[in-house]
Amino acid sequence: MEHITTPKVENVKLLDRYTNRKAANGTLYLTATHLIYVDASAEVRKETWILHHHIATVEKLPLTTAGCPLLIHCKNFHVAHFVIGQERDCHEVYTSLLKLSQPVKPEDLYAFSYNPKMSKDNREIGWKLIDLKVDYQRMGIPNDYWEITDANKDYEVCNTYPPEIVVPRAANKATVIGSSRFRSRGRIPVLSYLYKENNAAICRCSQPLSGFSARCLEDEQMLQAIREANPGSPFMYVVDTRPKLNAIANRAAGKGYENEDNYDNIRFKFIGIENIHVMRNSLQKLREVCETKSPSMSDFLTGLENSGWLRHIKAVMDAGVFLAKAVKDEKASVLVHCSDGWDRTAQVCSLASLLLDPFYRTFKGFMVLIEKEWIAMGHKFSHRCGHLDGDPKEVSPVFTQFIECVWQLMQQFPCTFEFNERFLLEIHDHVYSCQFGNFLGTCHKEREDLKIFEKTHSLWPFLLQKKQEFRNPLYRGFTAYKELQPNTLPFSFQFWCGMYNRFDKGMHPKQCVLDHLLSCMSQKMKLEDNASELENKLPFLDGPLPTEACSFPKMGSASKTPMLNTPQDYEGEPPPVLTNGTAVGDVEVMSDVDQKNKENLSKHQDPHDLKDAFGVLDSEAKDGKPQHP
Amino acid sequence: MEFAELIKTPRVDNVVLHRPFYPAVEGTLCLTGHHLILSSRRQDDAEELWLLHSNIDSIEKRFVGSLGTIIIKCKDLRIIQLDIPGMEECLNIASSIEALSTLDSVTLMYPFFYRPMFEVVEDGWRSFLPEQEFELLSSVTDEWRLSCINKEFSVCPSYPPVVIVPKSIDDEALRKVAMFRHGSRFPVLSYYHKKNGMVMMRSSQPLTGTNGRRCKEDEKLINATLRAGKRGYIIDTRSLNVAQQARAKGGGFEQEAHYPQWRRIHKSIERFNILQESLIKLVEACNDQSHNMDRWLSKLEASNWLTHIKEILTAACLAAQCIDREGASVLVHGTEGTDSTLQVTSLAQIILDPRCRTIRGFESLVVREWLQAGHPFQQRCAQSAYSNSKQKWEAPVFLLFLDCVWQILRQFPCSFEFSEHFLIMLFEHTYASQFGTFLGNNENERSKLKLQQKTMSLWSWVNRPQELSKYKNPLFEANSLVIWPSVAPQSLQLWEGVFLRWNRSSKFLDEAYEEMVTLIEYNKQLKAKVNALRRKLAELETDDRMQENL
């Protein structure tokens, strides 16, 4: 790789940002794809791997006596603070990382060099795993009202839509073409989801080019066709997910929103989800809150509030709930748009589908949902995730918000998803990793041009291979729950520590219920095999077996669930330098969790020396201030 | 006094009951001396509501024409509404409820009238005696003794009759120390850490006053707990400022000069009305039905509830850290030593001692560190979040402790024998109960009230196997480790099980819990089955061999 001038730097410190422990000392390596840090000071070999594509920002901080600090923020919320002895080395690593993390040419993306040693056939089968046509069939399409058309096969209707789209049968080619001229970037109304029970549909598009007074007969016919495809309802909703002011402002640019007078029997509604810039800033504020060192409760809650993050999450969720209710309870079809119909619209439509249809809460279904509403419909992953060196104002956590909404639903409905939190985090990682082709580019046409189907691998088969660790042990199956009606009062939304402080292991529960239940699941299968095997050996055995109480593990036996368990930073104030060794008793419980975690092994806490705290106590005693942690 | 005097209208028909999660139901309302009962006209004549008057925190009445409405706010934070036809009936009912829910004599409380319908297997009043606790201690160390100095509550009115003190300190010295400590609460043993022999003691503040009074016996007493050449830590649960101000009122803190082997750490934990206000604000925020996220977060923040949780946990962790990691003994006190002191000493034990994380061990902890240690339950729990009275002595000190335990439980979900339900049950019983356990403010009062003879102990009820099974944590796997919770704000959460209990349906969470229990239970049965099959097989094989040998 031409960008790597210094592939190895020794004597690099990795600071622990959250606790006041002594920094690790080790060697930093740059490879073509990863930055790897090997901690030499640890008793067990500890490695920290950071994918170049995951790096959001690299900062060189002012030189200190210890050396030259290099601060790396990752898109998956990992933060690494290195201190490199030589300024020169630091600068070279810095320059390399800047280039490596923001490639200019698409062919430099990891996916084009990633080689899992898979046969060509298997690679191709992998790309065919998700077939959207099958999902439309599942909804009963084609049917009397809806058809799959190839009107867009040469991208003449819309170059950011896929070749095959679902439109009302009643809308002929002229209507489709006419409507496309009246919609921003030709993103005409197409079907997102059909609720089979009552024929109500969720459709999506971009804003109309209505300006102050323009109208378009074909577009009006298109909406009429959508409404009439649901004979059960005399009206349909048109939902603009933007705040009203934003929509009005767009009119001056010849865009805008539907005039109720021009369209028959529509009910128009604004929902008020903020735009990508507001969301980007909000996440930035949230990041800062999460990275604050030893914040007070008040600092944290105030910061959380000021970031607005949960307010935005709630807005997206509220919109999804509105759609699902309109379809299920009011039996009305809904047409959704925002400006271009590829950010907020994607969030809201996919969330509504998830609420309405248990299929989308399975492994396969969730993959279909992401392929359908996000990838196929042209959510600009490449720009929103900043895969390539580009306009930073195009970057926005739109998909992250969707993933968080799903997590919030998991908190309220723990038995309704086939997969667990780790599956969401894994997908989120790969949206940024560029290791697989799925999320490259901005739309289907661009992915074809990039030849990703020929040159790269699809993520989904790789996720399915790891199904065992991603499944939800509490899942009650496909038929147990149908539609979900989440509570959207503010207190129902939690801060997602597992995402935004994911790499700060010390903040997480020290015993993991999920791990415990997953091991129960695998144990269960083994036991069932054992039992049937034994039963076969005892064919003459009949009558009930004595169900003897299975013995509880003895007090004092080490728990099977590994615990990361050492005192936290209870002093709060100073960074006491470690003078005590690691307490022997707790080491063995920590080591094997750490081993498992390849991504980040930085969390390993030791007891602090209390004496340092008292230094502060004494000074505090002098100026007589109350000591708060 | 006859309750009948207070009940002007004992019965009203066609009353409509509204309460969380159930459709409104019409029925007959009856008032008894201790209960408000509503039974509907369903075939089974089921009671829809059976509410202890003592659970009622406040009531409001409203009238629309002759239809009256009473809104009852309970100490367990539930809010119910009764629509009562007839203005006079409604007024009568309201005034009766008001009178019956604020009886001023303890002996009129329900526990004195409650007749248990269950068979008492084990008398809870005798389940956790200090003598038993001392016996356990004696098996590991002989440096402590059981002192009966307070037999008639003559030395310290808020201490139990027997306490554990250093062997080398005689009762005469204790008497002198008692004179030097606020409310005579001289330092006593709270916890002995078997792993390294370090101890935690608790007391009240020393009465140093402005002129720095000292007490040689006091110094000797706490020094007696130190190993040669070792230092100890005094954790004062007040800020330095507050502690300094206390000197003006005759209180104070241990001066370095007189206690050279001790380092003092101030950890500020709030008290009394500040905590009560915090609870009131928190519950108000949780009951707010507005859809405004910013408002919710700002109210949650302004309530300061989670700040208190963080402060208390931090102090407890620090105490535990001193003992376990620094190998030092610790003395904990605030002002009276009956509130924040007990929060810290009891939580530190949960962190350090696996026994406290079992059901029995936790009960024993509550008895030792709260009931016998003289936490004034009756004063603190007189009113809850809906009260209008602003009495200085009301404060959710014990609820904060339970919340902290819940936070640790959430971080170590496999380390506790009990589940969240156990903590919620204790919360309910501290505020309103048919049992006498939490009546009175200390052992002295309890003994005068003859609670042991006249009322049933909560533990007699809870510790029966069929009741106990409700509170078991299916994930429990005993571990002997010290458990260090995280006190980062990201790690602390609102205790939904208490504060959102009546505001959102827990149906889906309950189902998840059931699912978890089913999975774990099924595995246990499978294991038992496989073991039984193996044994059977082995037996048959032995039989075969024996037959071959014959």
Side-chain angles (χ1 to χ4, degrees), chain A residues 374-414:
Chain A
W374 293 84
I375 297 174
M377 293 305 288
H379 173 69
K380 305 197 292 177
F381 279 105
S382 176
H383 295 174
R384 296 292 176 259
C385 304
H387 289 162
L388 295 165
D389 188 23
D391 182 0
K393 289 208 157 53
E394 279 285 302
V395 175
S396 186
V398 177
F399 188 75
T400 304
Q401 290 182 319
F402 165 67
I403 290 288
E404 171 161 350
C405 286
V406 180
W407 179 83
Q408 298 285 358
L409 288 174
M410 284 179 169
Q411 304 314 297
Q412 284 198 41
F413 305 99

Side-chain angles (χ1 to χ4, degrees), chain A residues 249-413:
Chain A
N250 263 299
R251 293 209 304 201
K255 299 167 189 172
Y257 53 93
E258 289 80 359
N259 183 340
E260 267 181 298
D261 299 337
N262 298 342
Y263 295 84
D264 288 339
N265 300 311
I266 66 161
R267 290 188 191 170
F268 186 83
K269 189 180 158 60
F270 286 113
I271 278 191
I273 301 174
E274 298 290 350
N275 65 26
I276 57 166
H277 311 294
V278 174
M279 300 310 191
R280 180 179 56 247
N281 293 335
S282 171
L283 183 65
Q284 183 51 36
K285 285 186 192 154
L286 183 74
R287 267 178 187 279
E288 284 159 19
V289 173
C290 295
E291 286 171 26
T292 310
K293 216 174 154 123
S294 313
S296 72
M297 199 65 190
S298 208
D299 292 341
F300 176 73
L301 288 174
T302 309
L304 187 61
E305 183 197 338
N306 291 339
S307 76
W309 184 255
L310 285 176
R311 173 159 43 89
H312 301 312
I313 295 294
K314 176 169 153 55
V316 174
M317 186 75 92
D318 276 329
V321 170
F322 175 84
L323 259 55
K325 273 191 184 156
V327 164
K328 180 177 172 280
D329 299 341
E330 298 189 67
K331 303 180 177 62
S333 291
V334 189
L335 174 65
V336 189
H337 67 74
C338 43
S339 298
D340 291 312
W342 53 39
D343 293 312
R344 290 167 269 204
T345 302
Q347 290 177 326
V348 168
C349 288
S350 49
L351 210 49
S353 296
L354 205 60
L355 293 173
L356 288 168
D357 193 334
F359 172 65
Y360 296 121
R361 295 173 228 140
T362 63
F363 278 108
K364 187 78 183 280
F366 196 62
M367 296 172 185
V368 168
L369 188 69
I370 292 174
E371 278 286 343
K372 187 158 66 88
E373 299 300 321
W374 293 84
I375 297 174
M377 293 305 288
H379 173 69
K380 305 197 292 177
F381 279 105
S382 176
H383 295 174
R384 296 292 176 259
C385 304
H387 289 162
L388 295 165
D389 188 23
D391 182 0
K393 289 208 157 53
E394 279 285 302
V395 175
S396 186
V398 177
F399 188 75
T400 304
Q401 290 182 319
F402 165 67
I403 290 288
E404 171 161 350
C405 286
V406 180
W407 179 83
Q408 298 285 358
L409 288 174
M410 284 179 169
Q411 304 314 297
Q412 284 198 41
F413 305 99

Side-chain angles (χ1 to χ4, degrees), chain B residues 73-332:
Chain B
K73 299 184 174 177
C74 303
K75 290 174 187 166
D76 63 13
L77 309 182
R78 176 173 31 161
I79 298 178
I80 57 178
Q81 180 187 328
L82 296 169
D83 297 339
I84 300 171
M87 186 177 289
E88 196 192 329
E89 284 86 349
C90 184
L91 284 171
N92 284 347
I93 295 285
S95 70
S96 300
I97 294 176
E98 207 138 10
L100 290 165
S101 62
T102 52
L103 296 173
D104 47 9
S105 167
V106 183
T107 50
L108 292 176
M109 302 288 272
Y110 186 51
F112 288 92
F113 298 82
Y114 169 69
R115 291 291 159 262
M117 302 291 280
F118 61 93
E119 194 196 340
V120 179
V121 185
E122 179 194 334
D123 180 5
W125 289 116
R126 308 198 52 78
S127 292
F128 307 101
L129 301 175
E131 289 80 3
Q132 293 164 353
E133 200 59 35
F134 183 71
E135 215 166 290
L136 278 176
L137 180 71
S138 309
S139 66
V140 285
T141 172
D142 60 357
E143 290 167 7
W144 298 82
R145 69 185 183 92
L146 208 54
S147 166
C148 299
I149 185 174
N150 202 36
K151 205 165 64 194
E152 306 294 330
F153 305 101
S154 52
V155 174
C156 173
S158 63
Y159 268 176
V162 285
V163 288
I164 301 175
V165 293
K167 204 170 205 170
S168 57
I169 306 297
D170 61 24
D171 282 359
E172 219 25 65
L174 288 180
R175 263 181 247 280
K176 287 185 181 147
V177 178
M179 307 276 282
F180 183 64
R181 292 274 170 180
H182 188 124
S184 307
R185 293 174 67 91
F186 53 88
V188 295
L189 181 80
S190 162
Y191 171 67
Y192 181 88
H193 197 45
K194 265 185 247 164
K195 197 164 117 189
N196 59 10
M198 293 302 129
V199 296
M200 181 162 55
M201 288 178 300
R202 53 176 159 74
S203 67
S204 59
Q205 65 178 349
L207 302 174
T208 55
T210 39
N211 45 11
R213 205 156 73 90
R214 65 188 284 193
C215 170
K216 286 271 167 57
E217 287 77 7
D218 190 78
E219 292 157 24
K220 196 177 156 211
L221 193 165
I222 68 166
N223 286 341
T225 67
L226 293 176
R227 295 279 150 83
K230 278 284 202 174
R231 286 180 154 235
Y233 295 105
I234 295 172
I235 296 181
D236 192 322
T237 61
R238 306 163 293 181
S239 70
L240 183 63
N241 250 343
V242 173
Q244 277 166 342
Q245 281 159 15
R247 288 191 299 201
K249 289 183 221 151
F253 51 88
E254 294 82 356
Q255 307 281 338
E256 279 83 1
H258 303 153
Y259 298 84
Q261 287 158 286
W262 295 81
R263 299 305 299 263
R264 213 178 59 247
I265 311 176
H266 291 272
K267 281 279 171 192
S268 162
I269 297 177
E270 291 294 351
R271 311 157 16 100
F272 300 136
N273 53 322
I274 292 178
L275 300 180
Q276 187 75 358
E277 295 267 297
S278 173
L279 175 67
I280 291 170
K281 282 188 193 160
L282 176 70
V283 170
E284 204 268 316
C286 293
N287 288 342
D288 187 338
Q289 295 290 302
S290 105
H291 269 273
N292 187 327
M293 179 63 80
D294 291 356
R295 184 156 136 185
W296 157 248
L297 288 174
S298 108
K299 279 183 162 188
L300 181 64
E301 189 272 320
S303 79
N304 274 328
W305 184 264
L306 289 169
T307 299
H308 301 314
I309 295 290
K310 184 168 153 63
E311 278 167 358
I312 296 165
L313 269 176
T314 306
C317 288
L318 185 69
Q321 204 177 357
C322 290
I323 294 169
D324 189 64
R325 293 308 172 99
E326 294 294 307
S329 285
V330 171
L331 168 68
V332 185

